[in-house]
Amino acid sequence: GTSGGLIVTGTDGGDAGTIADAGTGGTIQNKSGDAIVLNNTRDVSLNGVTIANATGGSWIDADNVTGLTLRNVNANNSFDHGIDGTNITNLVIQEGLYQGGGTLNGIANINGINITNLLGTSSVTDATFERANTVQFRVNNNTATNFGGAPDTLTVSGTTWQNHNVSPFHGDHLSVSSDTGGNFSLNVNNTDGVNTFKTAGIAVQAA
């Protein structure tokens, strides 16, 4: 509900880091629909969660969510967009592997991450994206938190983009557009490490 508050903590192992180890937050696999559905909620934090083979839907279907944090989430193979988001405010993706978004679908324009209206202050740090059906990470904004003021922002740092899906569909690694009504800023920098772009496709496309 709108009051929200869902935290999956996972467990940090012997490396004594600050991020839950992969798989320690539990595994969701072989779902015939969406693996995780978030509607009209806030303050969701998933740590060390593994999502495998969303055969009839997305890894995460999120609609009107404020404060979505994904730390060391490992997700592979989905039928729809891997993460299918609408009106997501303050998204944090830290570490983790996102591979094969949309590859269980035989049509084009199914993306690894697909967000319509990414609002607030969002970041992607030290993650890996690979083998998406079409675009690895797609954002399209047609509205803004403050159209005449500070823009909504996405900062990408220390992240690896590689291994496009071997199909006629594969497209860009990171594609961002702001249509009429949007006010959006994309920052691709090395504040938390160098971004690495490998294999075919446009590395970054912004419009």
Side-chain angles (χ1 to χ4, degrees), residues 168-200:
F169 308 142
H170 74 255
D172 307 332
H173 286 295
L174 174 59
S175 178
V176 173
S177 63
S178 183
D179 296 336
T180 301
N183 180 16
F184 193 80
S185 175
L186 171 66
N187 306 303
V188 180
N189 61 42
N190 63 354
T191 55
D192 286 289
V194 176
N195 291 287
T196 303
F197 296 89
K198 302 178 181 179
T199 68

Side-chain angles (χ1 to χ4, degrees), residues 24 61 98 111 128 146 163 170 191:
T24 62
D61 187 300
Y98 301 82
N111 302 321
T128 298
N146 188 347
N163 301 335
H170 74 255
T191 55

